[in-house]
Amino acid sequence: MNLRQIEAFRSVMRLGSMTAAAEALYTSQPNVSRLIAQLELSTGLKLFERAGVRLIPTKEGSAFFQEVERAYVGLDSLRQSAKNIRNLGTGRLRIAAVPSTGLTLIPQVIKHFVETHPELTVSLHMNASPTVVQWVQSQFCDLGVVVQPSDAGPLETLLITQLRAVCVLPPGHRLAVQELITAQDLHGENFVSLCHGDGTREQMDKVFENAGVERKLVVEGQYSAINCEMVASGMGAALVSPNVAQDFLHKGITIHRFEPELLFPVYVVTPAASGQTPLARQFIQALREHYETEFPR
């Protein structure tokens, strides 16, 4: 498989015929046909059904085309990055984050950051901690905000803050009158938990285990934002990061201090110091200052 074969296939799929593809590629129709045949041979896929002079993409061909288009989106992104660097000079900052920060706090930091860097282009990508780490390792992103920095390999890991978990309750819950919720208060209560495999879930389970408390685990969610949504719908109580909880106050949930202490750490992973961009260092400082202002210890 080579780039010329992929270009021929993509042109046929986009333009609908080998003749049109040949014109777009400044080559002959037989050459396009040969390239397609070579691509089918190298991939082991039947990409088209031939119906006279017409070409009809097979299911395999359509699926392969989707993957090709994803690859070309990456190339288009490179072209746009080059244009930004050429035209703007200051380039682009690519940030990856877990949803607990990417959906709530980081957009606020970005807003203030671009006000002081008006020619900067910022992109924000979200996924679970392991994927965020992979994106930074591959240099797809300049920095990543995670809650679990394990397997960061050669990356530099910085602890930005540790947020004390709060208990969120559904509207009208019997415990809503209490300012402080303890582990014992949640004995026998319906509980919305993080999924297994999340490091905070393990710490959370240990807190209740040490207190001899049994909760009714009615549902699990991968992210705190999902769990807050389920709490708002009345499915049970949850322990979440305070920055996530605040975004759901308009849905009628109540937020309470929780004991014993359970911490949600926030880390930033970056390439080794020598590989950090000045913009990345400035953004990390802005992020740290935002946490210190909004969630003082």
Side-chain angles (χ1 to χ4, degrees):
M1 184 191 312
N2 59 46
L3 183 59
R4 191 63 177 164
Q5 294 167 3
I6 296 295
E7 288 177 338
F9 169 69
R10 184 170 184 253
S11 293
V12 171
M13 290 292 293
R14 289 166 65 92
L15 300 175
S17 73
M18 288 192 182
T19 301
E23 292 177 358
L25 296 174
Y26 301 102
T27 188
S28 65
Q29 186 272 333
N31 192 40
V32 171
S33 180
R34 178 179 59 81
L35 291 169
I36 296 296
Q38 290 174 347
L39 182 61
E40 288 182 322
L41 182 63
S42 64
T43 60
L45 302 175
K46 186 175 179 60
L47 302 174
F48 297 100
E49 295 285 355
R50 276 77 173 174
V53 296
R54 294 178 57 219
L55 288 179
I56 303 173
T58 63
K59 289 184 178 180
E60 290 180 332
S62 296
F64 187 63
F65 178 65
Q66 291 179 8
E67 297 302 317
V68 168
E69 287 297 274
R70 290 191 183 99
Y72 271 82
V73 166
L75 291 175
D76 290 340
S77 177
L78 289 177
R79 295 189 188 98
Q80 186 61 44
S81 295
K83 180 180 178 181
N84 289 340
I85 294 170
R86 184 174 62 252
N87 294 339
L88 304 177
T90 52
R92 183 186 191 100
L93 181 63
R94 297 158 299 179
I95 303 167
V98 292
S100 60
T101 58
L103 289 172
T104 56
L105 187 141
I106 288 182
Q108 301 171 32
V109 181
I110 290 175
K111 177 181 182 296
H112 296 299
F113 195 70
V114 297
E115 288 173 354
T116 58
H117 300 76
E119 295 183 340
L120 172 67
T121 301
V122 179
S123 59
L124 175 60
H125 308 265
M126 279 182 287
N127 215 307
S129 289
T131 301
V132 170
V133 168
Q134 290 175 9
W135 283 343
V136 178
Q137 287 175 333
S138 66
Q139 299 183 12
F140 173 66
C141 290
D142 300 302
L143 63 94
V145 183
V146 300
V147 293
Q148 300 174 65
S150 58
D151 299 324
L155 300 180
E156 184 169 322
T157 301
L158 306 171
L159 177 62
I160 299 298
T161 190
Q162 295 189 87
L163 300 178
R164 186 163 182 164
V166 295
C167 179
V168 291
L169 299 173
H173 194 279
R174 67 177 185 85
L175 296 173
V177 295
Q178 299 180 199
E179 179 184 349
L180 172 68
I181 303 295
T182 67
Q184 288 77 9
D185 289 329
L186 297 177
H187 184 80
E189 290 288 332
N190 289 345
F191 194 83
V192 179
S193 182
L194 290 167
C195 293
H196 282 291
D198 186 293
T200 309
R201 163 64 186 266
E202 297 171 7
Q203 297 176 43
M204 195 178 298
D205 287 348
K206 185 173 287 293
V207 164
F208 287 104
E209 181 181 336
N210 291 341
V213 171
E214 293 187 7
R215 302 153 291 161
K216 296 179 182 177
L217 298 180
V218 294
V219 65
E220 297 176 342
Q222 186 176 5
Y223 302 121
S224 291
I226 297 173
N227 291 353
C228 282
E229 187 69 51
M230 291 190 282
V231 169
S233 71
M235 298 183 70
L239 298 182
V240 301
S241 177
N243 65 292
V244 178
Q246 289 180 357
D247 277 4
F248 287 83
L249 280 172
H250 68 286
K251 295 208 169 186
I253 67 169
T254 55
I255 303 175
H256 307 263
R257 291 190 299 114
F258 177 78
E259 289 184 358
E261 182 181 73
L262 174 66
L263 297 176
F264 283 82
V266 179
Y267 296 91
V268 167
V269 292
T270 67
S274 60
Q276 292 179 16
T277 66
L279 282 172
R281 286 193 290 270
Q282 292 173 35
F283 186 85
I284 292 168
Q285 183 59 31
L287 180 65
R288 192 189 298 274
E289 291 173 357
H290 188 88
Y291 271 112
E292 290 173 353
T293 301
E294 296 296 322
F295 304 97
R297 299 185 186 181

